[in-house]
Amino acid sequence: MAVLPYFFYLQAKRIHRAIDEWGINPWLVYVGAPVLFFGGSIALFSRMVYASWVYVGVAAVALLQLCNSTRLRFLRQAFDRRTYRRVRMLEHTLLVTPFLAFLLCRGEIWFALGLLVLAAATIPLRIGTARSATLPTPFSGRPFEFAVGFRTSVGSLFIAYGLMVIGMYVGNGYLSIATLLLVVLICFNYYAWSEPLLYVWIYRLPPRSFLLLKVRTAFRYLTVMLLPMVLVVICVFPDYWPAVLAVAAMGYGYLVLAVMSKYAAFPQRVGILQGIFITLSLVFPPLLVISIPYFYQQAKNNIALIL
């Protein structure tokens, strides 16, 4: 088998095995994922005037995930220069294809072309560095999730701030408010990975105190991320202040869910069934009143085995 097809064959096999290890029939995911993607796309465009901008922004965030310097360094070591470029081009093409298909179905030709240009422009991009110097962050007090996450998502955050500015420029308050939610979801993703077991074991705290400490830290650092955006949006769109505050409050609820769900599964990753419950809570925020206590109880029992 040629090198390029074999590489993507291995990636597909890894995904298949990972889904199978979660105890879910992989074909259920293969069929359900496209349905959820296009269903979510339809819901986004039906509820937001400037949904095209947000849609391209989401695609851009996904493209930036392929530009991690550590990952790209591995690819450079594994392939010659020509094969490396072909792998990058195919990865970006495969990722944006569903977005392009939906935009074209809606007749959004210019946004589709813009997304193609964006996909091509991010091929040579590398986020992060292999050097000893690190990007400074305002999260040095209790680094872990936010310090690591900020360094890997700085490009995505720039896109979010850019969309906020675009919303102000076109006079659309809802687009600017949507960027607040985008930043929250980026921060939510910081809790998708688990630190080494020792980093939890060293705390001499009861499980409840440990979880509250993690929540307070998440609140403090989310405030650092959101407060400037909240103040600017309220100043530009003063009539929208209730919606801004509601989205910000919802964001804090999402972060509580992120912390609790992470430590409910710690040191493993969140399982597929838990992930579905989390996704439903993100899509339908009133479910937070059920999901947060549920995951809190699970996390407290789980952490009690470690602390």
Side-chain angles (χ1 to χ4, degrees):
M1 186 182 292
V3 173
L4 204 58
Y6 186 64
F7 170 75
F8 285 99
Y9 166 76
L10 287 178
Q11 301 308 308
K13 197 167 186 177
R14 287 181 57 199
I15 295 172
H16 185 91
R17 286 180 175 176
I19 297 172
D20 192 50
E21 288 175 356
W22 290 339
I24 301 297
N25 188 328
W27 287 104
L28 181 63
V29 177
Y30 300 153
V31 174
V35 173
L36 289 175
F37 175 82
F38 286 103
S41 300
I42 292 171
L44 174 66
F45 277 82
S46 64
R47 297 181 181 182
M48 188 175 294
V49 177
Y50 288 90
S52 299
W53 291 97
V54 177
Y55 200 64
V56 173
V58 171
V61 171
L63 285 169
L64 291 176
Q65 305 308 308
L66 299 176
C67 300
N68 181 270
S69 61
T70 303
R71 178 179 178 276
L72 297 185
R73 187 168 61 252
F74 167 76
L75 293 179
R76 285 183 180 276
Q77 293 172 348
F79 302 114
D80 58 67
R81 183 175 299 179
R82 181 183 178 186
T83 305
Y84 169 81
R85 288 198 297 265
R86 293 175 66 190
V87 167
R88 295 284 288 147
M89 291 176 61
L90 281 172
E91 285 181 333
H92 284 232
T93 302
L94 290 172
L95 192 149
V96 300
T97 295
F99 294 91
L100 288 173
F102 189 80
L103 288 171
L104 291 174
C105 287
R106 290 190 56 87
E108 303 282 358
I109 305 298
W110 290 111
F111 282 99
L113 290 175
L115 182 55
L116 275 176
V117 172
L118 189 62
T122 52
I123 288 175
L125 183 64
R126 298 180 67 181
I127 298 177
T129 175
R131 300 174 183 175
S132 58
T134 56
L135 180 69
T137 76
F139 313 118
S140 58
R142 298 183 184 276
F144 302 124
E145 294 92 355
F146 269 80
V148 175
F150 178 82
R151 292 188 175 108
T152 58
S153 66
V154 63
S156 304
L157 292 170
F158 273 122
I159 290 175
Y161 277 92
L163 289 173
M164 181 186 71
V165 173
I166 290 172
M168 294 175 182
Y169 178 76
V170 300
N172 188 282
Y174 289 112
L175 176 58
S176 296
I177 293 171
T179 61
L180 301 178
L181 186 58
L182 179 58
V183 169
V184 170
L185 295 177
I186 291 172
C187 295
F188 187 96
N189 192 53
Y190 296 168
Y191 291 86
W193 65 278
S194 295
E195 66 267 32
L197 187 65
L198 178 65
Y199 285 22
V200 173
W201 179 79
I202 59 176
Y203 283 89
R204 299 182 60 186
L205 294 171
R208 180 176 180 275
S209 300
F210 172 81
L211 294 172
L212 290 178
L213 174 64
K214 286 290 183 176
V215 169
R216 287 197 301 269
T217 301
F219 278 15
R220 182 164 64 250
Y221 290 158
L222 181 62
T223 301
V224 172
M225 303 280 278
L226 278 188
L227 186 59
M229 299 179 72
V230 168
L231 294 177
V232 171
V233 174
I234 289 179
C235 288
V236 177
F237 303 105
D239 294 338
Y240 289 81
W241 69 265
V244 173
L245 296 182
V247 169
M250 187 170 63
Y252 286 103
Y254 284 171
L255 259 290
V256 176
L257 177 63
V259 173
M260 298 306 167
S261 60
K262 170 185 174 177
Y263 288 105
F266 187 85
Q268 307 298 323
R269 290 193 174 188
V270 172
I272 189 69
L273 294 179
Q274 292 175 314
I276 293 173
F277 191 21
I278 293 169
T279 302
L280 291 174
S281 300
L282 296 177
V283 173
F284 187 63
L287 275 179
L288 291 172
V289 299
I290 299 174
S291 58
I292 288 177
Y294 169 77
F295 282 110
Y296 168 71
Q297 192 61 42
Q298 296 287 322
K300 188 171 69 169
N301 295 339
N302 188 38
I303 293 298
L305 303 175
I306 302 171
L307 295 177

